[in-house]
Each structure stands twice: as C-alpha cells, then as structure tokens.
Amino acid sequence: MSKEKRLAIVGAGFAGREIAGEIEHKGVFGKVVVFLDDDGKKVGGLLDGIPVEGPVMEAPDILKRNRVQEALIAVPGATGEQLRKIYLALKRADLERIRILPGISQIVDGDAHLIQTRELSAQDLLGRNPVLIPLKESLFYLRGKRVLITGAGGSIGGELSRQLLSGGAQRLYLFDHGENNVYEIEKELRLLQEEGVGEAATIVPVIGDLKDRDYMHFIIKRLRADVIFHCAAYKHVPLTEANPVEGIKNNVFGTLNIVDAALEAGTSRFVLVSTDKAVAPSCVYGATKTIAEEIVLSRNGRGGGAFMVVRFGNVLASRGSIVPLFTKQILKGGPVTITDPKVSRFFMTIPEAASLVLKTGGVGEGGSLYILDMGEPLSIKELAEQMIRFYGYRPHEEIAVRYIGLRPGEKLTERLWLESESTEATDFPGILRLKRQANLQSDLEELLSELRSVCFLIGGKEQEYRNRKRLKEILAPHFPSLIPVSNEPEY
C-alpha cells in the first residue's frame, strides 16, 4: 500500500484515534484524511489535526469529496444493526477496501491496534448484539498463572489465546495435535505481542495427542498448568458419523486423559467447552460431548480444583461451519446449499463466546454446568439470504438456494438444555447456571468400560475393536435420542 493512499476512519472515539495515530507513526499504510462520526459535538471539529465530518449516513458524499479510497470502521461497541447501516453507507461510496476493528471483547481498556483490523466480512453483520465484557477485569484470576488451551489452533481455542494475551498470564501453553495449527497460532500471537497487543506472557507451543494417556499425564504434570481450557474435539457431525469410533476415542477418552492428568497435577481450574449438540444427542458427536461433560463434572471434588463445563451453540465463521461454506458457494456463483428450509441454529460471534468462556472460568463454581445466553435461534435460510445480499446478489434470482435434506445425525433445531431442566441467572450478563440432571441413563464408569473395548485392543475382546456396529449397540440404551442407522456396518 502506498503512502498516498487516502483513508477514512469511521468512529472518532478512543479506538479510531489510536488507529489514526499508529497509521501516522508507521508512515507506510497511507494517510487518514477524515474521521466520520454521528456525534454532533465532534462533527465540524479537528481530532489530532484531522477533520471530523458526519453524520455517517452521508458517507458517500463525504468520502468522495475527500477522495477517500479505503475506510476503516473503528466502533468496537457498535451493535449489529449499527454496523449494517455503516456498511451500507460505505458501500455506496465505491471504496477499494473496507476494514473493521474487532468487537469490544478484543479491545481491552482503550487499547486498540492496527494489527487487530481485518477485512469486513458477512459475519460482522449477522447475529445478535454481543454481551460487552470488561476483559481485563474478567481475566484478573489468570494473572501470573500458567494457562493451557487444548485445540489452541481451532476457532475458539485460537480466540481464547488471543484474548489471554491481555490477562497477564505468566505462560500460555498452546496445545494442539496439528503441527500447522500450533505454528499458525503461535506466529500470530508473537506478531500481536510485537505490535503492542497484550502483556509479556511466555508463549509455549506444545504438539500432542489427547488420546495418548501416558503423554498427557507426563506433559500436564511437567507444565504445571494452573488453569486448563479444554476446547479440542472432533466437531463435524457428518465426519464423526462416518468415523464414530475415532470420535469416541478422541472426544471421550481424550477428555478422560486430560481430566485425570489435571487432577494428578493439581490443576486449580478446568473448563470444558461443550456444545448444544450434547442435549438429547441425535448424533455420535453429540453423545461424545455428553459423556465428556459427565466426565468433567464427575471428577470435580476429587482434588482441590474446580472442574466445570461451559455449553453454547454455534459460533459464526468457525472453521468448517456454514458461514465459510456459504461464502465459497456465493463467490463461485452458487448454489447455496441448505439442509432444510426450516432448520435453525443458535449463533454468537467467536470473540463473544471466548470472552464469556474466560469470564465463566473465573466466576464459575466447580461441579457446575454453565450455559451462554445465545438469544433466539437464527433461521439458516435467512442467514444464507443475508449473506447473498452482502455480496451484492439477489437470493433465489442471481444466486440459487438449494435444499439438500438433513444429513445423518442432524436435527432441525437444537436446544441448550432438556425440557426437564431449567436455568438460573448468575450475577454476570450472558451466563446462566443449569439446574441439571444426569444426561446418562446408567453409570458413567460402566459406560466407559464398555466403550474402551471398542476403542482399544483388549485381550479376549478383539472382535469388538473398531466395531462401529458394536459401538452403536453400546450407545443406544444410554442415548435413546440417537438416530439409528439401518444396516450399520461393523467397520
């Protein structure tokens, strides 16, 4: 980008001012020539020598008059509706590029940086208004602590890692079984630190497999992690339906391994990230998360630590989710594929989900299951239509929408708790405590024993090893809601 690039910043508040100062200091990204704002007290004045004009809805005229080529939205507290209005105004100005500073959950105590900006995308305009979390205050319990995140290279694990930079942790252990996942998130965090984001935590990449029990006991004891956020799991419903034994081995026995290792090592807080698919599960993936929840909660009280669960629905734009899929389908000209016109899901943004998980980890009590308040479910059909319009097309006319039917294990709607259960408010917005009942129809240890012979080669039970038909027979009485598969193969 040349120095002559003419930029506008939407938002003449602390974030916009910091970004403008950084652009001027670096001297390589262009020149901020105007701020746009709706505050009548600011409009008509100067901010650090840069004129403030408005209102934002007059952006097309203002930006063309100032010969602006790119805009950067720096309003981290904006609601979804406000962002949509800003975007529509900027779009009419025929800009080369529109960037955005992420939501308030990533901007800590007036600390905003250019490196945190990214291209504006459809998911920024979707979903409900996020709960605003005072992140630095929420992370106080992690100050000086050693924190381990499993699945650190994934969507939630990666966002936890980014936000944890601002928590004053002594060490951040980035645990993942994928070499590239660990490499990418470590590189990103180090670059953020170089640009002044967060505090001077020591970042430690760790490659490992949750399924390796001996290694998990060795590494957790050696790292002496005070707090563990367990995000790692095989998450894709169709893939887990096609590979059910591996799903059980990773999500159930992997969780058992790290929970028992954490108990042995004296970990003070353990937080499992769970999903609405654990409620009356219709698929193997959901069943794995139900069992994982029971493992974590059953181990609370066996040591001095607090072991808890945080359950929520889908997050927008997570890897492998429908938002990236819809984006690819739209950009290639369609069709956009939806399982059913009536299907709906709960959604929140990745930063909001991560902030609430971190908050819960500090205020939650051991042995409790917490639900993040997801608001009302969103129609997937409406989501697809909004995204098509974002990219400038007319749904059902220029971009076709095709219904392909529910895939194995999928539901039309999801629930965050059973009808026989209820929630109670906590002292913290967006976080509910579940008044729960055991979700398994029998003893947890008995079920684990039955599943073990399917996942591991045990003498005398060789015929059960990797037998998916046997696996479904074991799960069926414990999970009556599981959708049966006719003619289930053995392998």
Side-chain angles (χ1 to χ4, degrees):
M1 190 183 297
S2 68
K3 293 182 180 179
E4 291 75 29
K5 188 75 71 174
R6 296 175 68 83
L7 311 174
I9 293 180
V10 181
F14 81 85
R17 187 171 184 171
E18 288 211 358
I19 295 296
E22 190 173 348
I23 290 172
E24 181 180 5
H25 174 73
K26 289 182 180 294
V28 294
F29 295 108
K31 178 179 178 62
V32 178
V33 297
V34 65
F35 283 101
L36 274 74
D37 206 284
D38 287 330
D39 188 343
K41 295 179 181 179
K42 296 177 181 178
V43 172
L46 295 175
L47 185 62
D48 296 333
I50 301 169
V52 181
E53 300 190 36
V56 175
M57 294 309 294
E58 296 181 8
D61 292 337
I62 296 170
L63 299 182
K64 287 176 182 177
R65 185 172 64 250
N66 286 279
R67 295 180 289 114
V68 170
Q69 296 155 289
E70 296 186 7
L72 195 156
I73 302 171
V75 191
T79 66
E81 183 59 31
Q82 288 171 328
L83 277 180
R84 282 189 284 275
K85 290 181 179 178
I86 292 171
Y87 166 72
L88 290 173
L90 295 178
K91 190 178 179 182
R92 296 198 304 272
D94 297 322
L95 298 169
E96 296 175 10
R97 189 183 186 195
I98 302 174
R99 282 181 288 170
I100 188 170
L101 195 65
I104 196 72
S105 59
Q106 289 177 281
I107 308 302
V108 183
D109 293 350
D111 190 21
H113 298 271
L114 183 63
I115 194 173
Q116 293 172 303
T117 65
R118 54 173 168 74
E119 298 287 330
L120 181 73
S121 59
Q123 62 260 24
D124 294 311
L125 311 179
L126 303 172
R128 56 31 171 320
N129 297 328
V131 175
L132 303 184
I133 302 290
L135 194 57
K136 215 159 200 176
E137 174 188 319
S138 297
L139 297 180
F140 186 77
Y141 72 102
L142 297 172
R143 182 160 296 279
K145 297 294 196 304
R146 295 177 295 275
V147 184
L148 184 143
I149 308 101
T150 73
S155 301
I156 293 295
E159 182 59 27
L160 287 176
S161 303
R162 294 181 198 100
Q163 296 189 21
L164 279 165
L165 283 181
S166 301
Q170 180 192 93
R171 286 176 178 265
L172 291 181
Y173 298 119
L174 310 176
F175 185 97
D176 204 296
H177 76 281
E179 175 193 15
N180 286 334
N181 290 347
V182 176
Y183 171 76
E184 290 295 339
I185 189 62
E186 181 199 11
K187 183 174 66 172
E188 179 184 345
L189 295 184
R190 293 194 187 281
L191 185 59
L192 287 169
Q193 286 184 323
E194 288 175 10
E195 293 298 306
V197 177
E199 302 185 30
T202 300
I203 298 170
V204 182
V206 184
I207 300 172
D209 192 338
L210 291 168
K211 300 189 293 292
D212 187 338
R213 183 172 181 81
D214 292 335
Y215 176 70
M216 293 311 301
H217 279 260
F218 167 81
I219 196 67
I220 298 300
K221 186 175 182 179
R222 183 173 179 83
L223 297 179
R224 297 183 295 122
D226 300 296
V227 181
I228 295 175
F229 293 96
H230 180 31
C231 309
Y234 293 152
K235 299 179 173 71
H236 300 296
V237 171
L239 281 177
T240 310
E241 287 300 295
N243 300 270
V245 176
E246 193 62 19
I248 291 285
K249 187 174 182 181
N250 187 76
N251 294 0
V252 172
F253 289 102
T255 296
L256 181 64
N257 290 343
I258 191 168
V259 167
D260 286 349
L263 284 170
E264 183 180 273
T267 299
S268 60
R269 300 188 83 79
F270 186 103
V271 181
L272 170 69
V273 172
S274 191
T275 169
D276 54 3
K277 292 178 178 61
V279 182
S282 60
C283 58
V284 172
Y285 166 58
T288 69
K289 296 301 285 187
T290 304
I291 301 169
E293 288 182 354
E294 296 295 336
I295 288 171
V296 172
L297 297 176
S298 70
R299 264 54 179 177
N300 184 70
R302 297 192 183 184
F307 285 57
M308 68 194 75
V309 175
V310 182
R311 183 195 291 165
F312 52 93
N314 296 34
V315 287
L316 286 166
S318 61
R319 290 192 305 181
S321 68
I322 58 171
V323 170
L325 173 62
F326 286 173
T327 299
K328 291 178 181 177
Q329 291 176 333
I330 294 166
L331 294 179
K332 77 176 184 65
V336 172
T337 57
I338 301 173
T339 55
D340 189 284
K342 297 180 181 178
V343 73
S344 65
R345 292 291 183 267
F346 292 103
F347 282 100
M348 64 169 45
T349 66
I350 295 172
E352 182 187 9
S355 298
L356 288 170
V357 167
L358 290 170
K359 179 73 174 180
T360 307
V363 303
E365 298 176 357
S368 295
L369 194 156
Y370 294 92
I371 306 286
L372 300 190
D373 185 355
M374 303 290 295
E376 294 300 316
L378 181 65
S379 163
I380 302 301
K381 177 177 177 288
E382 293 179 9
L383 173 68
E385 291 170 346
Q386 288 182 51
M387 289 188 62
I388 291 169
R389 293 189 190 98
F390 171 83
Y391 286 102
Y393 301 103
R394 294 190 299 275
H396 307 286
E397 297 178 28
E398 296 174 307
I399 298 290
V401 176
R402 180 185 299 165
Y403 301 105
I404 59 175
L406 291 173
R407 297 171 295 182
E410 288 188 322
K411 302 176 185 176
L412 277 177
T413 59
E414 300 283 359
R415 295 178 56 89
L416 286 162
W417 58 87
L418 296 169
E419 290 184 8
S420 56
E421 297 176 321
S422 62
T423 61
E424 58 185 5
T426 67
D427 294 333
F428 309 97
I431 302 173
L432 307 171
R433 181 186 287 108
L434 182 68
K435 294 180 178 180
R436 63 186 295 272
Q437 65 184 43
N439 280 331
L440 295 176
Q441 301 299 312
S442 69
D443 181 70
L444 172 64
E445 301 306 322
E446 176 186 332
L447 175 58
L448 292 174
S449 177
E450 289 185 276
L451 292 172
R452 192 170 275 110
S453 61
V454 177
C455 296
F456 304 95
L457 194 57
I458 296 174
K461 295 186 177 181
E462 291 85 353
Q463 76 281 1
E464 294 192 7
Y465 179 63
R466 290 283 163 171
N467 189 319
R468 55 189 291 171
K469 186 173 183 179
R470 174 60 182 148
L471 172 65
K472 295 293 184 70
E473 291 172 352
I474 294 170
L475 292 176
H478 304 286
F479 299 99
S481 54
L482 273 180
I483 298 174
V485 177
S486 59
N487 300 320
E488 181 78 55
E490 289 192 336
Y491 303 102

